[in-house]
Amino acid sequence: MQNLKNSFAGFWKYRYLLQNLITRDFKLKYRRSVLGVAWSVLNPLLTCLVMWAVFGALFNQRGQGIEDFPLFLIIGQLMFNFFRESTAMAMESVLKNGPLLRKVYIPKYIFPLEKCCFALVNFFFSLVALFIVALLTWSHISVNTVLLAIYPIVMLFAFSLGVGLILYICLADRQRIGLAAVAAVVVTAGLVTFCTGATAVPAKRKEETVQ
């Protein structure tokens, strides 16, 4: 218990550094962007439109059996984008901040945590696209739905941070760089498979109900 308190005390000590790193990354990402933060909204919107059109035109599947399929699609896309962005940045965060680590002592876990927090900030901006899709498709989003979404977001954040730390450890050891790449591919493929299965299950159940 005492070790846990010491860990939280150490984390609280570096809270301002964490805030400054997030602010720095935010400014660097959107400094040379013409659209700025608006791109975080337009990107998932355009991608969702393309995916919806492709599934409808090529595969003749626009979410038959899935209620509010466009909303269902963009939610999965936003969650996956957050996982991909946070783990990819966390994996290389400590190595890219090597010069800073050689000057002053900073716990190494701060950098993967900062990248996940920065990805979470982008995720919150991207949620504007979700509400736009909900308005365009006349989907009903209640206050209870928003509150229920807090738990999976927190769990996904913790999972992404854990995967990012594991990938960083593998990448830090030059002999395990290949293992880091394989682990990233396996985790991504597993998440894609899970999302695909989640998409197929509601339609299958509805078909069984109709029959």
Side-chain angles (χ1 to χ4, degrees), residues 6-172:
N6 294 335
S7 299
F8 278 109
F11 169 74
W12 187 251
K13 178 181 177 181
Y14 293 97
R15 65 189 184 278
Y16 295 113
L17 173 63
L18 187 65
Q19 180 180 355
N20 290 332
L21 289 174
I22 295 174
T23 304
R24 181 200 65 179
D25 284 350
F26 185 83
K27 291 180 179 179
L28 287 175
K29 181 174 182 179
Y30 298 108
R31 181 177 57 185
R32 297 181 180 179
S33 176
V34 177
L35 297 175
V37 181
W39 179 246
S40 296
V41 179
L42 291 176
N43 186 27
L45 270 178
L46 296 175
T47 305
C48 179
L49 179 62
V50 170
M51 292 179 67
W52 184 76
V54 168
F55 285 140
L58 298 182
F59 301 103
N60 196 24
Q61 290 182 351
R62 286 191 178 173
Q64 289 90 345
I66 301 178
E67 187 177 358
D68 298 327
F69 178 70
L71 192 65
F72 183 86
L73 183 63
I74 196 170
I75 288 174
Q77 177 192 340
L78 292 178
M79 301 290 275
F80 178 76
N81 287 345
F82 166 71
F83 171 78
R84 176 182 53 80
E85 182 181 9
S86 59
T87 52
M89 292 191 302
M91 179 174 61
E92 301 176 345
S93 59
V94 178
L95 296 179
K96 289 185 176 181
N97 288 278
L100 181 60
L101 284 171
R102 286 190 287 269
K103 293 179 181 178
V104 293
Y105 170 76
I106 301 174
K108 293 182 179 180
Y109 69 84
I110 289 293
F111 297 103
L113 177 62
E114 181 269 328
K115 295 301 182 183
C116 290
C117 291
F118 174 62
L120 186 64
V121 172
N122 290 330
F123 173 76
F124 285 139
F125 280 115
S126 300
L127 288 179
V128 177
L130 188 152
F131 289 107
I132 292 176
V133 172
L135 290 174
L136 293 177
T137 58
W138 296 92
S139 301
H140 177 67
I141 300 179
S142 62
V143 178
N144 292 331
T145 304
V146 176
L147 294 177
L148 287 174
I150 296 176
Y151 177 76
I153 291 175
V154 172
M155 291 297 100
L156 180 61
F157 177 85
F159 178 71
S160 301
L161 178 60
V163 173
L165 289 171
I166 293 173
L167 294 177
Y168 150 68
I169 293 172
C170 295
L171 188 64

Side-chain angles (χ1 to χ4, degrees), residues 174-185:
R174 294 183 179 180
Q175 296 179 353
R176 298 180 181 178
I177 292 178
L179 180 61
V182 173
V185 172

